[in-house]
C-alpha cells in the first residue's frame, strides 16, 4: 500500500468518525440535502458540518427518474463530484444499492469519497417492503465490507407498509431495532406526509439507536424535533423541489411577457 493510499484511507476514516459523532440525540445533525457540487458548496458556506445527497434530487438533475432509474456509474460519479467539492464529510443516498453486492456498495462509496450512505428497505421498482432478514443481510454485509462507513438504514413502513397506524409504528420499531443490531449507525423511519411528535418520540424510545426524520413543511420545527430526541434531520429533495418550483414560476412570468426579477 502506497503512502498516498494510506493517507487517503486515514482521511476517509477521520471524516467518517466526524460524521458519526455528529449524530447526537437532542442535538441533531441537520442536513439540507444537496444534488450537485454547487448546492453542496452552498450547504457548507452556510455553516453545516456535513453534506448529504438526496437521490430524488440527484436523479432528475442528471435526467433520470428516482427509484434507481439512474445508472450506478452516473450516480457514483455525481457523488464523487460532490465529495471532491467540499471539505466536510459526505453521506450519499444510494436508494437500495442499485443491485450491487454489499462489497461493491462499500467499495464504490469509499472510492467516490463518501463516508456514509442511506440504504432503504423497499424495492425501488415495486415499492414492496423487503423482508427484514434480507435487509439485515444487506446492512451487515456493507458493515463487514466497510467498518468505518456511517450507515443510515431507511425504514419504509410508513410509505409502503400495511395495517393500522399503530401496527406500522410497531413494525417500524421492530425493523429499526433489527437494522441497528445489524450494524446501522442511524435508523431513518421515513414519514413523508404527516409527522406527529408523538410518533417521533415512540420511534426514538422504541428503536433505542440514533433516529433520523425528514423535515416536512407542515411538520414540527427543528427545535421540537431536537427536543423529541432526534439525532439527524434530513430535508431530502425538499430544497431541490422548492427551487425547481421557483424556476417554473419565473419561466411562466417570462412566457407571459413579464420580468422574473423583483424591482
Amino acid at each position: 500500500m502506497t503512502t498516498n493510499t494510506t493517507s487517503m484511507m486515514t482521511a476517509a476514516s477521520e471524516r467518517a468518525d466526524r460524521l458519526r459523532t455528529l449524530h447526537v440525540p437532542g442535538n441533531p445533525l441537520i442536513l439540507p440535502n444537496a444534488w450537485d457540487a454547487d448546492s453542496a458548496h452552498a450547504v457548507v458556506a452556510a455553516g453545516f458540518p456535513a453534506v448529504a445527497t438526496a437521490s430524488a434530487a440527484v436523479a432528475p438533475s442528471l435526467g433520470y427518474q428516482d427509484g434507481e432509474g439512474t445508472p450506478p456509474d452516473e450516480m457514483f460519479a455525481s457523488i464523487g463530484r460532490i465529495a471532491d467539492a467540499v471539505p466536510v464529510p459526505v453521506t450519499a443516498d444510494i436508494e437500495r444499492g442499485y443491485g450491487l453486492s454489499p462489497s461493491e456498495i462499500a467499495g464504490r462509496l469509499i472510492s467516490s469519497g463518501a463516508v456514509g450512505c442511506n440504504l432503504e428497505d423497499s424495492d425501488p421498482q415495486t415499492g414492496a417492503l423487503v423482508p427484514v432478514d434480507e435487509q439485515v443481510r444487506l446492512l451487515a454485509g456493507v458493515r463487514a465490507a466497510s467498518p468505518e462507513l456511517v450507515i443510515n438504514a431507511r425504514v419504509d413502513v410508513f410509505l409502503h407498509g400495511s395495517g393500522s397506524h399503530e401496527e406500522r409504528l410497531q413494525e417500524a420499531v421492530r425493523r429499526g431495532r433489527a437494522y441497528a443490531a445489524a450494524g446501522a449507525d442511524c435508523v431513518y423511519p421515513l414519514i413523508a406526509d404527516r409527522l406527529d411528535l408523538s410518533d417521533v418520540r415512540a420511534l426514538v424510545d422504541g428503536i433505542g439507536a440514533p433516529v433520523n426524520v425528514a423535515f416536512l413543511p407542515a411538520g414540527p420545527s427543528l427545535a421540537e424535533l431536537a427536543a423529541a430526541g432526534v439525532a439527524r434531520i434530513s430535508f431530502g429533495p425538499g430544497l431541490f423541489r422548492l427551487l425547481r418550483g421557483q424556476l417554473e414560476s419565473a419561466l411562466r412570468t417570462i412566457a407571459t411577457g413579464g420580468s422574473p426579477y423583483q424591482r
Side-chain angles (χ1 to χ4, degrees):
M1 185 178 293
T2 66
T3 301
N4 187 50
T5 300
T6 302
S7 177
M8 290 174 62
M9 292 178 64
T10 300
S13 181
E14 289 173 351
R15 289 196 302 274
D17 288 344
R18 199 182 327 147
L19 177 61
R20 187 173 283 106
T21 60
L22 291 170
H23 292 70
V24 181
N27 184 24
L29 170 62
I30 298 172
L31 295 169
N33 301 63
W35 54 92
D36 59 14
D38 187 54
S39 56
H41 272 303
V43 170
V44 175
F48 293 95
V51 168
T53 70
S55 69
V58 174
S61 77
L62 296 174
Y64 298 99
Q65 294 291 321
D66 193 32
E68 297 199 348
T70 308
D73 286 350
E74 293 202 38
M75 180 58 75
F76 284 102
S78 178
I79 294 166
R81 287 190 293 272
I82 290 170
D84 286 344
V86 295
V88 300
V90 171
T91 179
D93 177 1
I94 55 167
E95 307 189 64
R96 199 162 182 272
Y98 305 98
L100 302 173
S101 70
S103 61
E104 288 174 314
I105 290 171
R108 296 191 71 163
L109 282 166
I110 296 301
S111 294
S112 73
V115 295
C117 70
N118 283 10
L119 284 167
E120 58 199 50
D121 67 351
S122 60
D123 185 299
Q125 279 75 48
T126 67
L129 286 171
V130 173
V132 174
D133 58 349
E134 183 177 332
Q135 188 68 4
V136 162
R137 286 195 297 272
L138 174 64
L139 296 171
V142 173
R143 168 57 67 229
S146 181
E148 72 275 14
L149 196 68
V150 180
I151 300 174
N152 190 33
R154 205 177 88 177
V155 179
D156 287 352
V157 168
F158 295 102
L159 296 180
H160 305 301
S162 59
S164 67
H165 181 77
E166 182 59 33
E167 288 170 333
R168 284 182 289 164
L169 187 63
Q170 292 174 0
E171 178 64 5
V173 168
R174 183 178 80 91
R175 285 177 175 255
R177 292 177 68 88
Y179 300 163
D185 298 279
C186 187
V187 176
Y188 185 11
L190 182 56
I191 303 174
D193 51 4
R194 178 179 168 274
L195 188 61
D196 188 285
L197 277 175
S198 63
D199 291 340
V200 174
R201 294 189 188 97
L203 290 165
V204 168
D205 293 342
I207 292 171
V211 169
N212 181 182
V213 299
F215 185 84
L216 301 178
S221 69
L222 294 174
E224 288 172 326
L225 292 173
V230 169
R232 173 168 166 163
I233 301 172
S234 301
F235 279 71
L239 294 179
F240 174 81
R241 291 170 178 167
L242 175 67
L243 295 177
R244 187 68 165 75
Q246 292 175 345
L247 172 62
E248 290 172 355
S249 177
L251 293 172
R252 287 193 296 269
T253 299
I254 295 170
T256 57
S259 170
Y261 306 117
Q262 294 182 352
R263 300 190 179 206

